[in-house]
Amino acid sequence: MSMDHDRVLRTKLDQLECHFTWALRKDDIDLNSLNEKLKLYVEKKEELTHTYNALAYVKFLQGFLEEALSNLMTSLKLYKECHDEEFHKSLIVTYGNLAWINYHMKNYTECESYLQKVLKINENISSESSSVPEVLGEKGWTFRRFSYKYHEKSKECFKKALDLEPEVGKWNAGYAIALYRTEYGEYGESTIENSPVIKQLRRAIETNPDDDIFKIYLALQLGINKSYEEAERWVERALESSPDHPGVLTYAGKFFGKKGNVDRSVALLRKALELSPNSALTHHQLALCYKKKKIQLLQEGNHVRGPEVQPIRDQIIYHLEIATKHATGFITALSELALHYGEQHDISRAEEMFQMTFETAKEKDDKLHVVHFYYAEFQLYSKRDEVLAIKHYMECLKMNPGSYEGKKSVYKLKMIAEKRINKNTQVGKAYGILGFIHKEKGEKTQAIECYEKALSYGENDEYLTNLSALRLSI
């Protein structure tokens, strides 16, 4: 093929709406975990045409072009088994992917053939491919499945599809999930009555009455606002009509775990694992349940409890190890696992895992603040290094003050500072810590007061710098 012909062909390919043109960056995606997730969709026979399209692109990113082509042909075959129409707008993405994969395999005749099919479809529709609801829907599902970093884009796609076809159940479902993923737990000024997430989840239930996962999502959202009575009714309805749905069981387990009913949570999660044994999410939720059991025993303050705690800690580690095996980029689970290795006094293994997790989080630009928080916990409780713990709590707070870990870091830093002040030891540094907390929270006057108190106990260049900057900013 001549360079001019190749340039023209690439221009046409770049104009297609498909996985190859949606800026799905390899660095943003945990390919192994996504591959396992998509295979589960195949096993459950859910959204098969879309799933094989997505699986094909994963195989392409992994360098398996023949497998990618095979998955696309399976997607096309499944579509044709249900529809007679060869040039329907639902095939825009599949044909686009087929054009691209054949281009990469240097099958230029086949590539141009699929380009022509897309062109013929476009001639029969009144809008651009990018405004076709079926394309927007598949794009939305792809963004949601591939990476949490694309969840905002997923929300935009489903909102556009819903604006075009407001009564279609799958667009209502997609938009509900996208809102849930991006705004879970965020109320701001909204209440149960006017929360966009809750409103859309109710709409998804109306338009998808047989899909019980939305009842569980709604229950979790209601639970955050402590509307437990209504929330539990939705959970029980979902469990009654979908007693063998792994997702329903897992999220129901999550609901009861958050509510404090750990035993029921464990029972539901174990049943979910019987149906889907490789679910990283379910194993992680089970680890969290056992973590709550461990904390309850330790808080009882009875030293005789030691032998009872160890089997529970073993369960935590077991489930975290499986979760991180099946989701290698699961930053939170990796951090928790490293922390528990520390609790087992396997300090070198914990350090090694933390350093690997730091590297993974930096490479993926994903949840680095979480790793700093758990590493601070490890330093404080396993290595008894309060100085390093303070450093990493501070890093977590700087990176993401509004996160759960950021708020917990504030609590731990205050605890350390107040302990020092009460014991009249390193008081200047204690006020320096409090000044830092106020500064990060935007409380400038309180920060200045704390830094001035810190300086009264001795000179510190960092405190002077922070104090000067705060005074200038007021």
Side-chain angles (χ1 to χ4, degrees):
M1 177 185 287
S2 69
M3 288 183 63
D4 287 342
H5 189 184
D6 183 72
R7 194 178 299 114
V8 170
L9 188 56
R10 278 300 298 254
T11 300
K12 291 178 181 177
L13 288 167
D14 287 335
Q15 292 171 352
L16 296 175
E17 281 288 338
C18 64
H19 292 74
F20 288 83
T21 62
W22 289 340
L24 300 164
R25 295 178 64 250
K26 190 174 181 178
D27 290 345
D28 292 338
I29 304 162
D30 183 341
L31 291 175
N32 292 328
S33 176
L34 179 57
N35 188 54
E36 290 299 317
K37 188 191 302 182
L38 292 171
K39 284 198 292 188
L40 283 175
Y41 280 111
V42 171
E43 288 172 15
K44 292 186 284 185
K45 302 189 185 308
E46 293 183 11
E47 299 285 345
L48 283 177
T49 55
H50 300 328
T51 299
Y52 276 109
N53 257 327
L55 199 52
Y57 191 68
V58 170
K59 293 300 179 186
F60 165 76
L61 290 177
Q62 292 176 322
F64 304 127
L65 273 60
E66 291 289 349
E67 287 186 54
L69 179 59
S70 175
N71 281 310
L72 288 171
M73 296 309 294
T74 301
S75 176
L76 187 58
K77 178 187 171 190
L78 288 167
Y79 174 84
K80 289 183 175 178
E81 285 174 359
C82 303
H83 306 86
D84 295 327
E85 207 172 335
E86 185 182 359
F87 299 104
H88 191 270
K89 54 190 177 180
S90 296
L91 287 168
I92 288 172
V93 175
T94 305
Y95 285 153
N97 283 337
L98 279 163
W100 267 101
I101 200 66
N102 277 289
Y103 172 80
H104 283 291
M105 297 175 75
K106 297 182 170 49
N107 301 328
Y108 299 120
T109 302
E110 289 86 347
C111 171
E112 299 216 27
S113 172
Y114 287 113
L115 275 171
Q116 288 303 312
K117 289 178 185 291
V118 176
L119 183 61
K120 187 162 184 178
I121 295 171
N122 287 337
E123 287 172 354
N124 295 324
I125 58 178
S126 58
S127 61
E128 296 290 327
S129 294
S130 58
S131 299
V132 172
E134 287 80 0
V135 172
L136 288 164
E138 184 148 3
K139 197 173 184 179
W141 285 118
T142 300
F143 282 141
R144 186 178 74 80
R145 288 175 177 174
F146 273 55
S147 173
Y148 82 95
K149 293 182 181 181
Y150 303 145
H151 284 174
E152 284 292 339
K153 291 181 179 180
S154 174
K155 183 169 72 174
E156 292 169 13
C157 289
F158 282 117
K159 181 64 171 66
K160 289 177 183 176
L162 199 57
D163 287 342
L164 293 165
E165 295 180 343
E167 301 303 316
V168 174
K170 55 188 175 182
W171 311 148
N172 275 286
Y175 188 49
I177 294 173
L179 276 176
Y180 177 81
R181 295 289 184 218
T182 54
E183 300 179 32
Y184 174 65
E186 295 184 13
Y187 278 91
E189 298 299 318
S190 54
T191 63
I192 285 177
E193 288 72 27
N194 63 20
S195 161
V197 192
I198 289 177
K199 181 180 178 182
Q200 186 57 37
L201 284 168
R202 294 191 195 281
R203 179 66 179 145
I205 292 168
E206 289 174 13
T207 54
N208 301 269
D210 297 327
D211 195 338
D212 290 303
I213 199 70
F214 296 108
K215 295 168 187 172
I216 303 288
Y217 289 160
L218 177 58
L220 284 164
Q221 194 72 32
L222 290 167
I224 291 167
N225 213 35
K226 296 183 171 55
S227 184
Y228 293 120
E229 190 175 333
E230 183 188 356
E232 197 158 341
R233 285 201 303 270
W234 283 113
V235 174
E236 297 298 354
R237 285 183 207 173
L239 288 170
E240 184 179 350
S241 54
S242 294
D244 297 316
H245 188 298
V248 168
L249 290 165
T250 295
Y251 282 101
K254 181 178 180 178
F255 171 80
F256 285 112
K258 283 182 172 293
K259 194 168 180 282
N261 190 341
V262 178
D263 289 335
R264 186 164 188 201
S265 177
V266 168
L268 289 166
L269 292 166
R270 288 207 169 280
K271 186 177 179 183
L273 278 184
E274 290 174 12
L275 299 163
S276 184
N278 296 333
S279 169
L281 174 63
T282 309
H283 280 288
H284 183 237
Q285 286 299 317
L286 260 173
L288 294 182
C289 284
Y290 284 112
K291 184 178 176 181
K292 286 181 181 177
K293 281 179 174 283
K294 179 195 73 175
I295 291 168
Q296 286 170 1
L297 279 174
L298 292 172
Q299 285 176 341
E300 290 176 9
N302 188 342
H303 294 297
V304 184
R305 293 289 186 186
E308 296 178 41
V309 170
Q310 190 54 49
I312 295 174
R313 188 177 285 123
D314 290 342
Q315 284 289 322
I316 296 169
I317 290 174
Y318 169 76
H319 288 291
L320 287 173
E321 285 180 339
I322 297 178
T324 53
K325 174 187 172 184
H326 291 293
T328 54
F330 197 160
I331 301 297
T332 303
L334 286 166
S335 301
E336 288 172 332
L337 180 55
L339 179 64
H340 279 86
Y341 285 152
E343 283 191 18
Q344 294 276 60
H345 308 295
D346 194 344
I347 301 300
S348 61
R349 192 177 186 186
E351 282 281 14
E352 184 181 345
M353 175 156 278
F354 269 120
Q355 295 314 310
M356 180 269 289
T357 308
F358 269 118
E359 289 171 14
T360 302
K362 288 172 184 174
E363 286 171 11
K364 296 173 71 67
D365 188 23
D366 181 13
K367 298 187 178 180
L368 185 56
H369 71 284
V370 172
V371 193
H372 277 291
F373 172 75
Y374 282 103
Y375 193 57
E377 295 277 282
F378 168 67
Q379 293 296 336
L380 187 63
Y381 297 109
S382 294
K383 295 191 74 175
R384 307 295 179 184
D385 189 332
E386 197 169 82
V387 174
L388 264 181
I390 291 167
K391 175 186 173 183
H392 288 280
Y393 284 133
M394 285 181 166
E395 285 299 316
C396 175
L397 178 57
K398 280 193 290 188
M399 287 180 178
N400 200 332
S403 66
Y404 168 80
E405 293 80 13
K407 292 172 184 175
K408 285 287 287 184
S409 293
V410 169
Y411 172 79
K412 292 299 177 76
L413 287 167
K414 282 183 177 178
M415 180 185 76
I416 292 168
E418 287 165 5
K419 182 187 72 174
R420 289 182 174 187
I421 292 168
N422 291 335
K423 289 186 174 183
N424 199 29
T425 177
Q426 296 185 312
V427 178
K429 289 181 179 178
Y431 279 112
I433 292 169
L434 294 175
F436 171 82
I437 293 170
H438 287 303
K439 177 171 73 73
E440 292 302 315
K441 292 171 74 174
E443 298 165 351
K444 296 179 182 178
T445 303
Q446 296 96 315
I448 288 170
E449 289 175 2
C450 286
Y451 281 129
E452 286 175 341
K453 283 184 181 179
L455 286 167
S456 71
Y457 286 88
E459 290 292 311
N460 184 299
D461 290 342
E462 182 187 347
Y463 302 157
L464 284 168
T465 302
N466 286 325
L467 192 57
S468 299
L470 284 163
R471 284 172 173 160
L472 287 171
S473 65
I474 292 178

